[in-house]
Amino acid sequence: PAIDYCTTLARPGWCAVCQVGFRILAGRCVRECPPEGYYEGVSNNTAACLDCYYSCATCSGPNDHECTSCYGDADLDESSGVGKYCHNKTLVFKIFSSSRWYYILSIGFIVNFIIVVVLVLYICRWRAAKAGKTSLLERVKNSTSRYSPVASKGLTGKSGSTLPFHDYEESSDEADDFMKPYSDEPSTTFLKPYTDGE
């Protein structure tokens, strides 16, 4: 069957070239493109109605940044220097909501990490201080253990027991003799003349 205003068929039922003043739309020839979802362009050297990006209601080209208006559930974003975008309202809200939760979780993770690091450092310092006290006590014990008991000669039995060293106090006579002033005269106490009677 013939297609209105078509000059060349691509295949039966599909127009390839339309008359001047007409555009190809899905194999048919139309005077104007639909108001939404299409823009006027060129396909195979022939004027045609081409699809807009799916998020654009009207557009000037096939890309997502070439929107001129949006559907009811989206907003036209003109802040970009590249072009105009259509952003879904609920999607933008969800993104901002998820971003807030992401920031909250990130901050919570950082705070918990800092707390764990502080606790680890505190435990390490506490153990080091405890180890230092223990080593000091061991040094004191070792220094006292170096004084071993003195074995008493001739008094050890079969069991090999030892008697602890005891510093007996000196007698008063020895102390008096030591404190006497020096004299050239011989001491009669220590150097008595020898007699046969003794």
Side-chain angles (χ1 to χ4, degrees):
I3 299 176
D4 295 339
Y5 313 109
C6 180
T7 59
T8 305
L9 292 174
R11 62 178 185 270
W14 193 271
C15 183
V17 179
C18 297
Q19 296 178 4
V20 177
F22 290 85
R23 287 98 179 151
I24 295 176
L25 175 63
R28 297 288 186 270
C29 295
V30 296
R31 290 185 180 275
E32 294 181 355
C33 296
E36 288 187 354
Y38 296 92
Y39 70 98
E40 291 186 11
V42 177
S43 175
N44 295 326
N45 298 321
T46 302
C49 296
L50 304 177
D51 293 328
C52 291
Y53 193 76
Y54 73 92
S55 63
C56 304
T58 59
C59 63
S60 58
N63 299 308
D64 60 343
H65 58 81
E66 295 179 311
C67 299
T68 56
S69 66
C70 305
Y71 294 105
D73 60 347
D75 291 326
L76 185 65
D77 182 9
E78 303 181 21
S79 62
S80 173
V82 177
K84 300 177 182 179
Y85 296 86
C86 287
H87 295 306
N88 190 286
K89 296 177 181 179
T90 57
L91 181 62
V92 171
F93 176 76
K94 289 180 179 179
I95 291 174
F96 281 114
S97 299
S98 62
S99 299
R100 285 197 298 268
W101 278 110
Y102 172 76
Y103 292 131
I104 292 172
L105 291 176
S106 299
I107 294 172
F109 174 78
I110 293 172
V111 170
N112 289 331
F113 178 76
I114 293 173
I115 292 174
V116 169
V117 170
V118 170
L119 288 176
V120 169
L121 292 176
Y122 174 77
I123 292 173
C124 291
R125 294 188 64 180
W126 177 76
R127 287 186 176 180
K130 187 176 179 182
K133 291 180 181 179
T134 304
S135 61
L136 178 60
L137 182 60
E138 289 178 354
R139 288 199 300 270
V140 172
K141 289 182 177 180
N142 292 334
S143 62
T144 56
S145 64
R146 287 183 297 179
Y147 298 98
S148 59
V150 178
S152 59
K153 296 181 179 180
L155 297 178
T156 55
K158 294 181 180 180
S159 60
S161 62
T162 59
L163 295 177
F165 173 77
H166 183 75
D167 187 11
Y168 294 99
E169 295 181 357
E170 60 183 3
S171 63
S172 60
D173 294 338
E174 293 176 351
D176 293 339
D177 292 338
F178 180 76
M179 297 298 292
K180 287 180 179 179
Y182 174 76
S183 175
D184 293 336
E185 297 295 330
S187 175
T188 57
T189 304
F190 296 101
L191 299 174
K192 292 190 294 183
Y194 175 77
T195 60
D196 294 334
E198 293 182 354

